[in-house]
Amino acid sequence: MGAVFEVPGWKEFTERCQGVVDKFEEKKLVLMNKMANICLSEISPLIPVDTSRLVSSFQVGAVTPNEAEIGTNVEYALYVNDGHIPVSYTHLTLPTN
């Protein structure tokens, strides 16, 4: 057999490490929630505003320890994102010849 040796404090060290491992998923979920809310606050000023409906509709959705969903259920959001002009901006007077 090989030599037997003892490291002082090893048992306490491994118990503390196990505590970190046991709480890892929980801590990751808390961090992911914080990151999702930071992301939401960062993108809100970038959303075009005609009325406040689109901006106020964005929210944090499903959050897991590995991903977070941020979005809206407003139907015209995709069109605004693609650069289409909202209806209220189309009141243009065309010149007559």
Side-chain angles (χ1 to χ4, degrees):
M1 290 262 166
V4 176
F5 63 93
E6 191 173 311
V7 176
W10 182 254
K11 182 179 179 190
E12 292 82 9
F13 173 74
T14 57
E15 287 172 356
R16 290 183 75 195
C17 287
Q18 188 60 48
V20 170
V21 170
D22 291 344
K23 294 181 182 179
F24 183 69
E25 289 296 312
E26 178 185 329
K27 297 286 186 183
K28 224 167 81 166
L29 182 60
V30 169
L31 180 60
M32 187 59 73
N33 268 308
K34 288 181 182 180
M35 289 173 35
N37 285 308
I38 290 169
C39 183
L40 181 61
S41 68
E42 291 288 323
I43 64 170
S44 291
L46 305 175
I47 301 169
V49 178
D50 176 24
T51 65
S52 61
R53 181 174 177 222
L54 181 58
V55 174
S56 62
S57 70
F58 273 81
Q59 59 188 348
V60 174
V63 178
T64 70
N66 298 318
E67 63 185 15
E69 178 182 283
I70 300 169
T72 179
N73 62 356
V74 173
E75 296 158 2
Y76 63 87
L78 181 61
Y79 299 106
V80 172
N81 183 62
D82 291 343
H84 297 280
I85 300 171
V87 174
S88 62
Y89 293 142
T90 59
H91 302 293
L92 303 174
T93 304
L94 299 175
T96 57
N97 291 337

